[in-house]
Amino acid sequence: MDSPYRVLGPDGRAIGALPTFAKDVDELTKLYRAMVLTRTFDTKAIALQRTGRLGTYASSLGQEAVSVGVAAAMQLSDVLLPSFREHGAQLWRGVTLEELLLYWGGDERGNAFTGPREDFPNCVPVGSHAPHAVGVALAFRLRNEARAAVCIFGDGATSKGDVAEALNLAGVWKAPVVFVVNNNRWAISIPVAKQTAAPTLAQKAFAAGIPGSQVDGNDVIAVRATLERALERARAGAGPSMIEALTYRLSDHTTADDASRYRSDEDVSKHWAEEPILRLRSYLFALRAWDKEREEALLLSCGQDVERAAAAYLDSELQPAAAMFEHTYAELPTDLVEQQTGAVSYLRGL
Amino acid sequence: MDSPYRVLGPDGRAIGALPTFAKDVDELTKLYRAMVLTRTFDTKAIALQRTGRLGTYASSLGQEAVSVGVAAAMQLSDVLLPSFREHGAQLWRGVTLEELLLYWGGDERGNAFTGPREDFPNCVPVGSHAPHAVGVALAFRLRNEARAAVCIFGDGATSKGDVAEALNLAGVWKAPVVFVVNNNRWAISIPVAKQTAAPTLAQKAFAAGIPGSQVDGNDVIAVRATLERALERARAGAGPSMIEALTYRLSDHTTADDASRYRSDEDVSKHWAEEPILRLRSYLFALRAWDKEREEALLLSCGQDVERAAAAYLDSELQPAAAMFEHTYAELPTDLVEQQTGAVSYLRGL
Amino acid sequence: MPDLNLVQAINLALRRAMADDPTVLVLGEDVGINGGVFRATDGLWKLYGDSRVLDTPLAEAGITGVSIGLAAQGFRPVLEIQFSGFAYACIDQILNHASRLRKRTMGRLTCPMVLRSPTGGGIHAIEHHSESPEAMFAHIPGLKVVIPSSPQGAYGLLLAAIRDPDPIIFLEPTRLYRSAKDEVADDGASIPLGRCIVLRTGRDVTLVSWGGMVKDTLEAANRLATDHRIDAEVIDVATLKPLDSATVIDSVKRTGRLVVVHEAPLTCGFGAEIAARVAHQALTSLLAPIERVTGCDTMMPYPRLEHLYMPQAERIAEAVRRTVAYS
Amino acid sequence: MPDLNLVQAINLALRRAMADDPTVLVLGEDVGINGGVFRATDGLWKLYGDSRVLDTPLAEAGITGVSIGLAAQGFRPVLEIQFSGFAYACIDQILNHASRLRKRTMGRLTCPMVLRSPTGGGIHAIEHHSESPEAMFAHIPGLKVVIPSSPQGAYGLLLAAIRDPDPIIFLEPTRLYRSAKDEVADDGASIPLGRCIVLRTGRDVTLVSWGGMVKDTLEAANRLATDHRIDAEVIDVATLKPLDSATVIDSVKRTGRLVVVHEAPLTCGFGAEIAARVAHQALTSLLAPIERVTGCDTMMPYPRLEHLYMPQAERIAEAVRRTVAYS
Ligand SMILES: Cc1ncc(C[n+]2csc(CCOP(=O)(O)OP(=O)(O)O)c2C)c(N)n1
Ligand SMILES: Cc1ncc(C[n+]2csc(CCOP(=O)(O)OP(=O)(O)O)c2C)c(N)n1
Ligand SMILES: [Mg+2]
Ligand SMILES: [Mg+2]
């Protein structure tokens, strides 16, 4: 296995050749803005959860470059199948801040995506969306469409049979799908070394006869470039691949977790030095493409966007009781209509 | 991946160094006898099935060297977890011919194994026994016993999530287990090329960070030698491994299958030239350790053994109706006792 | 109209569905050149090739998941699981995803897939090949569960299932594959899902069954009519979920007696649901305890004892006589 | 005796079982240093280390299979599945292997394992974290299915489950983990499996429930006593399989009325089995239709609507009043 592909070093200095898009400063600031928005959202979501106004929430702190880099490499006509920690990718693709909050607040309307209509909702049962991605990709291939599916899951997911089956199926059918392992080094309290004896997760792809490689997941330029290559390959009919993006989960697993039970502050703080936002900011600063003023303006506007979305979310009325039944089937069967009527009238009577 | 390990060429000439056991002619004739007994059993089982006296049966024709070679490498204190085509391994380990017939005839008593009491019964849901083998091996490790588990499954099984999960779990826990892929090139009508894009099945082990290698599965000496090494390694605490044994399914998938629907006679007949029994016989003949008389005597004694077992099987009385309930639990709960009493008295009344 | 057995009727429905609708795909282990281990997909691969008839690797959960992805993209995958004993591995994908994709996206994504699988015993098969898992699937919201009991029924119900916009578990009684024969009209007419089929009207007792047990139940009814002048109504449930309770309830209100027959184990079998609905909606009409004639709460025996496990016409008839004699 | 909540009682039972019997192992995702996501295994790893408390990779089917192998070798694995929504992936291993290993080897190999998992809603969790799969497991021959409703019950039943020679699904009502409090005596006494627990005797109506719904059912009974002079008997089923029908039947024979309460969807829920048994064995005692107060035949809503889905004391009470008023 080659060492992970990387363009920017942890200190933000370019250590490799820049891919074409990265020579365009506007492209880079777009990536930067998206990562900052993601982190701003993250902070707000945690605050809402801590004050009882949002459900259990999975932070993406420190992993923004994977999420944003992957989405930035996709075309809108591609389809994203995320796990539950890819807020950055969802935002990039047009899921709204308010939809994200509705989802994490426990409201199905958060999945109705006014934006990317074909994208899948978050997948909570770890790794179980991997075969869906193969199905989506197979649909593209059968219809001769130059599109690809992107499935993101965590390091823990690579132990699940569903993921192994999906990789193998994708290989057999040369399905245009790219699997991304968001390797944040932890599956709740289980570090990668207890998850598998394999020295890399990328090599799990070889079991399926498909290419696997590693990328520095805190380097958004490298992530985007790697995904662009993989997606082009997939869209061109050359088959699936898997990319292991090495990053680090700087936060607790979710707001319900207390990571101090199983890892030390020192361990974590080492990784702050490698985090993706600082890294790209340093690079942009060095280029003089970014400065303190622009930074402040960005933080302000991200904050405003997020606050506006939060207010809308908090103002949103609950769905009516009848909604509990709607969409269970295309057409509600008689007995379900009866249950619906019963529930609605019972609840009205209370 | 190195080319498959092989000691005897298809024509029965030694092309590699002989492992120690193979220098002992008695050892070789033991292997030979076991393969011939297996094939004799196979022929009889098919005849019984064709005449309506046995259930659907999975022939091991052409695959005897995998089955026998693996079992011969095991110690009795190791535990075998076979799929459903390893009659040769079961016989070697002391499952009786009559037990095998009872099993394939549809009688649970065929699983009560008077011989290898800790061995698992045949596993029919493909690949689902792989995690059991990890559990058995883990038990050995936890009790500090120098024993190993051996799990055999087919090429088709390597696509199953259970197998991938088991390999990974074995790797993480360094469980003393050896996985054997009996690659007979077909999963019913699906050839290996449609089963996976991976060029070898052995490389599936690397996904779990464990060693994988290939062996000529029609060379019983090579199979046994490879397994001995893998088992020593496992018993010594050095961890699990996977061995892909390359052989060929010369028969239909089972007696319910008609392989002519999906493969040509020519394809099959090519493989007759490589089959394991002929190969070892040629070698033994060349050594003058075997001759026509011994061959005839062996066929006769195998035939007699099998006929005797068949007669006993055909004579066996059905279990009584009450047996349908026994062993469902250690102690039958009240409602099951009632069902049992009801069924027995109802059936008596008929 | 040709005389077809059940597996031929399935094959005919698949042919019709594929001809009518290019989004219909068939996938599963050995469904291609081999035509399925029971030949349900015989000839389809020759007609439509690899792009509509997909042989799959051996991975039941995975191919269920793939079907979900295909369905979300507008295809109508018809997935064959070789035996329902191997469909337990699909429950996770079915329950956690297929059944709720529409709900959880408020209709943005849907899952019009059919999972076909042989069900039930009576073919002297090896272990895991004689399972009757219908009740487990019928507990899952968002699914439909359909079990035909005749070739013509299989044809019409399968067409309806494939045309339905939601995920469907379609269980085919293995022992009827070759034994049942019908004149089957290839008229493309589907039989509406969600309706019980009254196979025999009667005044004295209501017998409810589905799939492979319908034949034995009818046989019991016929014997009872001849030998005991008991006039039994026989209802084939056909669609277990959503259940057409009305037909059963109406019948029991007329007959006052109910015997439910199934092959799956008693406890938490689908017979319990029917009994519970009747005990709720037709209690006062009941003249006798509700009987269930079912498999036992032990696993299906190995073939040599299998015949002792499955309800047969005589056991059904006995229960009916007990019910009718009750007062 | 310390006041413990349900998760602490589970923890205490695990400690006791591990201290008593060196073959008891605990395994599952995050059960080690983290002590389980609900802290059910808190402190065990520190006491017993890696050889008896095994953190596992993320592979529910696999670790169920590993437990089967361990059990066959004489260990008593207690496997934690983090949420029962992820236990569907274990059904294949449980049904096709764990439940029948004893039967299929005629007792040569056995499978004394316990699969523990949180069950039910009410904790405002994300999707798949509020499932109630008990009926699916209760349909499987060879299994036992146990659901405690109180800390003391959890302690005694879990000890019994771990000591039992057969495979057990042990579902723990998540919303009681921290809310229920009991004085729990760590006396090592197990509560026998297979027996219902009568929590309140009454003459007018029998209420049957289990797990997380027992509390609401009792609350309904208490309100009915105070506000409506309805004297309800309340039965906690505790072991769903094998079911102690006798206690339920006896009660209904006395009260003539039955309301079953559960949180899982109505259709094919375990309430159906109870209703069916009563409609068979106590039909003539019934003075009113059998009522089931249950979750709906749609998936558990996302948290914002969850409270509308789950039966609550008032809905139970209403059904009881209807039942009692019936004549
Ligand atoms: C199948 C399944 N098992 C268990 C869980 C509970 N759980 C939620 S996230 C998680 C760890 C996932 O780790 P990883 O795949 O690395 O993703 P990460 O959370 O690190 O993003 C677990 C065990 C789950 N959601 N799904
Ligand atoms: C999980 C599962 N799916 C499907 C089947 C039906 N089936 C029996 S054997 C077989 C092919 C197995 O192929 P392979 O693993 O190569 O073993 P072989 O039969 O060649 O020995 C299939 C699909 C099964 N037994 N189990
Ligand atoms: Mg992770
Ligand atoms: Mg094979």
Side-chain angles (χ1 to χ4, degrees):
Chain A
M1 185 77 51
D2 297 335
S3 65
Y5 174 61
R6 171 186 273 185
V7 175
L8 297 185
D11 59 359
R13 260 183 279 199
I15 54 173
L18 288 179
T20 318
F21 74 82
K23 291 173 188 154
D24 179 345
V25 165
D26 286 347
E27 285 295 318
L28 294 184
T29 53
K30 245 179 94 184
L31 294 171
Y32 182 70
R33 286 169 185 278
M35 292 198 292
V36 171
L37 179 63
T38 304
R39 192 168 292 182
T40 312
F41 168 77
D42 207 77
T43 311
K44 182 68 190 180
I46 291 173
L48 287 170
Q49 193 282 332
R50 295 276 183 244
T51 50
R53 292 174 296 168
L54 201 76
T56 301
Y57 171 77
S59 161
S60 66
L61 186 71
Q63 307 178 212
E64 296 88 352
V66 179
S67 224
V68 169
V70 168
M74 293 173 69
Q75 295 179 355
L76 200 54
S77 59
D78 296 331
V79 164
L80 177 69
L81 297 98
S83 54
F84 45 80
R85 209 186 283 285
E86 303 303 336
H87 325 301
Q90 292 186 308
L91 288 170
W92 183 283
R93 288 185 54 76
V95 178
T96 67
L97 289 161
E98 190 185 340
E99 284 167 346
L100 287 189
L101 289 170
L102 279 166
Y103 172 79
W104 291 99
D107 191 314
E108 261 169 25
R109 287 173 296 186
N111 284 335
F113 298 179
T114 43
R117 300 286 298 169
E118 293 176 59
D119 280 8
F120 270 53
N122 283 359
C123 180
V124 172
V126 168
S128 57
H129 56 322
H132 310 165
V134 180
V136 169
L138 190 54
F140 298 156
R141 214 208 67 196
L142 294 174
R143 285 193 302 245
N144 260 315
E145 296 170 348
R147 305 166 69 187
V150 173
C151 183
I152 316 187
F153 44 75
D155 41 294
T158 61
S159 299
K160 259 300 233 192
D162 280 357
V163 169
E165 293 190 0
L167 288 168
N168 190 61
L169 292 164
V172 167
W173 287 319
K174 281 202 164 211
V177 50
V178 179
F179 300 99
V180 178
V181 188
N182 188 330
N183 181 356
N184 65 4
R185 318 300 170 101
W186 295 92
I188 309 187
S189 72
I190 310 295
V192 175
K194 292 181 88 173
Q195 193 66 246
T196 184
T200 74
L201 300 178
Q203 77 194 69
K204 301 217 168 207
F206 306 156
I210 70 178
S213 69
Q214 290 184 312
V215 64
D216 182 335
N218 288 344
D219 177 353
V220 71
I221 299 176
V223 171
R224 176 166 160 182
T226 306
L227 261 288
E228 280 182 354
R229 276 194 299 273
L231 283 166
E232 267 160 38
R233 190 185 128 86
R235 288 191 213 101
S241 54
M242 183 157 89
I243 301 194
E244 176 187 3
L246 292 151
T247 179
Y248 193 86
R249 197 193 79 208
L250 289 171
S251 73
D252 292 334
H253 168 69
T254 63
T255 50
D257 178 49
D258 170 9
S260 73
R261 292 176 65 92
Y262 53 79
R263 66 181 191 184
S264 71
D265 284 353
E266 289 139 54
D267 279 0
V268 179
S269 53
K270 276 193 312 223
H271 290 277
W272 271 102
E274 310 221 311
E275 71 95 356
I277 294 188
L278 179 63
R279 188 182 303 197
L280 183 56
R281 184 163 61 225
S282 305
Y283 181 69
L284 290 173
F285 260 92
L287 281 187
R288 304 203 185 280
W290 201 252
D291 55 28
K292 240 187 113 206
E293 270 153 51
R294 274 184 269 198
E295 178 73 10
E296 273 163 21
L298 174 62
L299 292 179
L300 188 68
S301 92
C302 288
Q304 284 169 343
D305 288 351
V306 167
E307 287 304 327
R308 215 175 297 120
Y313 155 67
L314 292 169
D315 270 4
S316 66
E317 294 210 3
L318 290 192
Q319 290 178 292
M324 191 159 73
F325 297 88
E326 280 157 21
H327 302 297
T328 307
Y329 298 91
E331 204 180 318
L332 279 199
T334 329
D335 54 354
L336 213 49
V337 172
E338 279 164 25
Q339 290 184 23
Q340 186 183 39
T341 315
V344 169
S345 73
Y346 165 76
L347 291 163
R348 197 175 297 128
L350 281 189
Chain B
M1 184 79 50
D2 297 335
S3 65
Y5 174 63
R6 169 185 273 186
V7 175
L8 298 185
D11 58 1
R13 261 184 279 198
I15 55 173
L18 288 179
T20 318
F21 74 82
K23 292 173 188 153
D24 179 345
V25 164
D26 287 348
E27 284 296 317
L28 293 184
T29 53
K30 244 179 95 184
L31 294 171
Y32 183 69
R33 286 168 184 279
M35 292 199 291
V36 171
L37 178 63
T38 304
R39 192 168 290 182
T40 312
F41 168 76
D42 207 77
T43 310
K44 181 70 190 178
I46 291 173
L48 287 170
Q49 193 283 331
R50 295 277 183 242
T51 51
R53 292 174 297 168
L54 200 77
T56 301
Y57 171 77
S59 161
S60 66
L61 186 69
Q63 306 178 211
E64 295 88 351
V66 178
S67 224
V68 169
V70 168
M74 293 173 68
Q75 295 178 355
L76 200 55
S77 58
D78 296 331
V79 164
L80 177 69
L81 297 98
S83 54
F84 44 80
R85 210 186 282 286
E86 304 303 337
H87 325 302
Q90 292 186 307
L91 287 170
W92 182 284
R93 289 185 55 75
V95 179
T96 66
L97 289 161
E98 189 185 342
E99 284 167 346
L100 287 188
L101 288 171
L102 280 166
Y103 172 79
W104 291 100
D107 192 315
E108 261 169 25
R109 286 173 295 187
N111 285 336
F113 299 178
T114 42
R117 300 285 299 167
E118 293 175 60
D119 280 8
F120 270 52
N122 283 358
C123 180
V124 172
V126 168
S128 57
H129 56 323
H132 309 164
V134 179
V136 168
L138 190 55
F140 298 156
R141 215 208 66 197
L142 293 174
R143 285 193 302 246
N144 260 315
E145 296 170 347
R147 304 166 67 187
V150 173
C151 183
I152 316 187
F153 44 75
D155 41 295
T158 62
S159 298
K160 258 303 234 194
D162 280 359
V163 170
E165 293 190 0
L167 288 168
N168 190 61
L169 292 164
V172 167
W173 287 320
K174 283 202 162 210
V177 50
V178 179
F179 300 99
V180 178
V181 188
N182 187 331
N183 181 358
N184 64 4
R185 318 300 172 101
W186 294 93
I188 309 187
S189 73
I190 311 294
V192 174
K194 292 181 88 174
Q195 193 66 248
T196 184
T200 73
L201 301 177
Q203 78 194 69
K204 301 217 168 208
F206 306 157
I210 69 179
S213 68
Q214 290 185 311
V215 64
D216 182 335
N218 288 343
D219 177 353
V220 69
I221 299 175
V223 172
R224 175 165 161 182
T226 305
L227 260 288
E228 280 182 354
R229 276 194 299 274
L231 283 165
E232 266 160 39
R233 193 186 126 84
R235 289 191 212 101
S241 55
M242 182 157 90
I243 296 174
E244 177 187 3
L246 292 151
T247 179
Y248 193 85
R249 197 193 79 207
L250 289 171
S251 73
D252 292 334
H253 168 69
T254 63
T255 50
D257 178 48
D258 170 10
S260 72
R261 291 176 66 92
Y262 52 80
R263 66 181 191 184
S264 71
D265 284 352
E266 288 137 55
D267 278 1
V268 180
S269 53
K270 277 192 314 222
H271 290 277
W272 271 102
E274 310 222 311
E275 71 96 357
I277 294 188
L278 179 63
R279 188 181 303 198
L280 184 56
R281 184 163 61 226
S282 306
Y283 180 68
L284 290 173
F285 261 93
L287 280 187
R288 306 202 184 282
W290 200 250
D291 54 29
K292 242 187 113 207
E293 269 154 50
R294 274 184 269 199
E295 179 73 11
E296 273 164 20
L298 174 62
L299 291 179
L300 187 70
S301 92
C302 287
Q304 284 169 343
D305 288 351
V306 167
E307 288 303 328
R308 214 175 297 120
Y313 155 67
L314 292 170
D315 271 4
S316 66
E317 295 210 1
L318 289 193
Q319 289 179 294
M324 192 159 72
F325 297 88
E326 280 158 22
H327 302 297
T328 307
Y329 297 91
E331 202 180 321
L332 279 199
T334 329
D335 53 354
L336 214 48
V337 172
E338 279 164 26
Q339 291 184 24
Q340 186 183 38
T341 316
V344 169
S345 73
Y346 165 76
L347 292 164
R348 195 174 299 128
L350 281 189
Chain C
M1 285 195 297
D3 238 29
L4 299 184
N5 64 28
L6 202 145
V7 78
Q8 289 165 331
I10 295 286
N11 186 265
L12 199 63
L14 290 171
R15 280 168 191 261
R16 168 67 72 150
M18 293 188 83
D20 286 355
D21 180 350
T23 68
V24 175
L25 306 177
V26 163
L27 70 164
E29 296 155 18
D30 306 292
V31 299
I33 188 172
N34 196 34
V37 291
F38 288 106
R39 311 291 176 249
T41 59
D42 195 22
L44 301 179
W45 179 77
K46 228 174 157 183
L47 274 174
Y48 294 107
D50 283 340
S51 63
R52 292 189 63 197
V53 181
L54 290 90
D55 266 329
T56 70
L58 209 161
E60 280 76 10
I63 58 183
T64 305
V66 166
S67 303
I68 294 169
L70 286 165
Q73 273 293 319
F75 282 99
R76 291 180 177 267
V78 183
L79 168 66
E80 176 172 308
I81 297 293
Q82 218 158 70
F83 286 91
S84 50
F86 313 129
Y88 299 116
C90 312
I91 290 181
D92 185 44
Q93 282 288 343
I94 290 289
L95 187 152
N96 277 331
H97 295 294
S99 70
R100 50 181 87 185
L101 189 60
R102 173 188 295 280
K103 174 76 184 137
R104 291 321 193 200
T105 61
M106 301 182 78
R108 184 170 62 79
L109 299 175
T110 63
C111 195
M113 67 179 275
V114 178
L115 185 158
R116 294 179 42 244
S117 194
T119 193
I123 58 159
H124 288 82
I126 199 169
E127 177 149 48
H128 309 289
H129 289 62
S130 306
E131 297 283 316
S132 297
E134 69 269 17
M136 293 175 80
F137 287 112
H139 188 45
I140 303 175
L143 277 191
K144 297 182 181 174
V145 180
V146 180
I147 312 186
S149 68
S150 70
Q152 184 71 61
Y155 176 85
L157 290 167
L158 183 54
L159 279 180
I162 296 174
R163 292 168 187 163
D164 194 272
D166 287 307
I168 289 179
I169 306 295
F170 194 88
L171 298 169
E172 302 163 3
T174 321
R175 69 172 172 280
L176 303 187
Y177 267 162
R178 308 209 192 287
S179 70
K181 289 244 155 125
D182 253 359
E183 292 195 347
V184 178
D186 185 16
D187 53 7
S190 56
I191 299 175
L193 304 183
R195 299 212 198 137
C196 294
I197 302 165
V198 180
L199 291 176
R200 187 183 196 288
T201 54
R203 284 171 324 234
D204 299 333
V205 56
T206 302
L207 310 190
V208 177
S209 189
W210 53 91
M213 293 312 310
V214 168
K215 187 167 155 281
D216 308 75
T217 305
L218 269 175
E219 191 184 319
N222 292 335
R223 281 199 214 166
L224 288 162
T226 323
D227 302 348
H228 301 273
R229 297 171 169 233
I230 293 174
D231 185 22
E233 181 139 315
V234 176
I235 298 175
D236 174 3
V237 174
T239 303
L240 275 64
K241 188 186 192 77
L243 175 65
D244 166 17
S245 317
T247 299
V248 177
I249 300 291
D250 289 352
S251 174
V252 175
K253 282 192 174 159
R254 280 185 284 101
T255 64
R257 298 171 204 266
L258 172 64
V259 177
V260 190
V261 181
H262 62 73
E263 185 177 336
L266 176 83
T267 297
C268 281
F270 194 73
E273 182 58 32
I274 292 180
R277 293 204 188 188
V278 168
H280 181 232
Q281 294 173 60
L283 186 89
T284 49
S285 309
L286 283 173
L287 304 169
I290 298 174
E291 291 275 346
R292 289 182 285 166
V293 182
T294 71
C296 312
D297 282 317
T298 180
M299 39 297 294
M300 171 69 83
Y302 276 12
R304 268 183 146 189
L305 294 189
E306 172 184 41
H307 58 289
L308 304 179
Y309 181 91
M310 291 192 297
Q312 274 155 338
E314 186 43 40
R315 225 176 97 201
I316 300 166
E318 192 198 55
V320 174
R321 288 197 299 271
R322 196 164 54 235
T323 304
V324 172
Y326 187 92
S327 62
Chain D
M1 286 194 296
D3 239 27
L4 299 185
N5 63 29
L6 200 145
V7 79
Q8 290 165 331
I10 295 287
N11 186 266
L12 199 63
L14 290 171
R15 281 168 191 260
R16 168 65 73 151
M18 294 187 82
D20 286 355
D21 180 350
T23 67
V24 175
L25 306 178
V26 163
L27 70 164
E29 295 155 18
D30 306 294
V31 299
I33 188 171
N34 196 33
V37 291
F38 287 107
R39 311 289 176 252
T41 58
D42 195 22
L44 300 179
W45 178 76
K46 229 175 155 183
L47 274 174
Y48 294 107
D50 282 342
S51 63
R52 292 190 61 198
V53 181
L54 290 89
D55 265 331
T56 70
L58 210 162
E60 280 75 10
I63 57 182
T64 304
V66 166
S67 303
I68 294 169
L70 286 164
Q73 274 292 320
F75 281 98
R76 291 181 174 267
V78 183
L79 168 66
E80 176 172 308
I81 296 294
Q82 218 158 70
F83 286 91
S84 50
F86 313 129
Y88 298 116
C90 312
I91 289 181
D92 185 44
Q93 282 288 342
I94 290 289
L95 188 152
N96 278 331
H97 294 294
S99 70
R100 50 182 86 184
L101 189 60
R102 172 189 295 282
K103 174 78 184 134
R104 289 323 192 200
T105 60
M106 302 182 78
R108 184 170 62 79
L109 299 175
T110 63
C111 195
M113 67 179 276
V114 178
L115 184 159
R116 294 179 41 244
S117 193
T119 192
I123 58 159
H124 287 82
I126 200 169
E127 176 149 47
H128 309 289
H129 289 62
S130 305
E131 297 284 316
S132 297
E134 68 270 15
M136 293 175 81
F137 287 112
H139 189 44
I140 303 175
L143 277 191
K144 297 182 181 175
V145 180
V146 181
I147 312 186
S149 69
S150 70
Q152 184 71 58
Y155 175 85
L157 290 167
L158 183 54
L159 279 180
I162 296 173
R163 292 169 187 163
D164 194 271
D166 287 308
I168 288 177
I169 306 296
F170 194 88
L171 297 169
E172 301 162 3
T174 322
R175 69 173 172 281
L176 302 187
Y177 266 163
R178 307 209 194 287
S179 70
K181 289 245 155 118
D182 254 0
E183 291 195 348
V184 177
D186 185 17
D187 52 8
S190 56
I191 299 175
L193 303 184
R195 299 214 198 135
C196 294
I197 302 165
V198 180
L199 291 176
R200 189 183 193 288
T201 55
R203 283 170 324 234
D204 299 333
V205 56
T206 302
L207 310 191
V208 176
S209 188
W210 53 89
M213 293 312 309
V214 168
K215 187 167 157 280
D216 308 75
T217 305
L218 270 175
E219 191 183 318
N222 291 336
R223 280 197 215 167
L224 288 162
T226 322
D227 301 349
H228 300 273
R229 297 170 170 236
I230 294 175
D231 186 21
E233 182 139 314
V234 176
I235 297 176
D236 174 4
V237 173
T239 302
L240 275 64
K241 187 186 193 79
L243 176 64
D244 166 17
S245 317
T247 299
V248 176
I249 301 291
D250 289 352
S251 174
V252 175
K253 283 192 173 158
R254 280 185 284 101
T255 65
R257 300 172 202 266
L258 172 65
V259 177
V260 190
V261 181
H262 62 72
E263 187 177 336
L266 176 83
T267 296
C268 281
F270 194 73
E273 182 58 34
I274 292 179
R277 293 204 187 188
V278 168
H280 181 232
Q281 294 173 59
L283 185 90
T284 49
S285 309
L286 283 173
L287 305 169
I290 298 175
E291 291 273 346
R292 289 182 286 167
V293 183
T294 71
C296 312
D297 282 317
T298 179
M299 39 297 292
M300 171 68 84
Y302 276 12
R304 266 184 146 188
L305 294 189
E306 172 185 41
H307 58 289
L308 304 178
Y309 181 90
M310 290 192 296
Q312 274 155 339
E314 186 43 39
R315 226 176 97 201
I316 300 166
E318 192 197 53
V320 174
R321 288 197 299 271
R322 195 164 54 235
T323 305
V324 172
Y326 187 92
S327 62

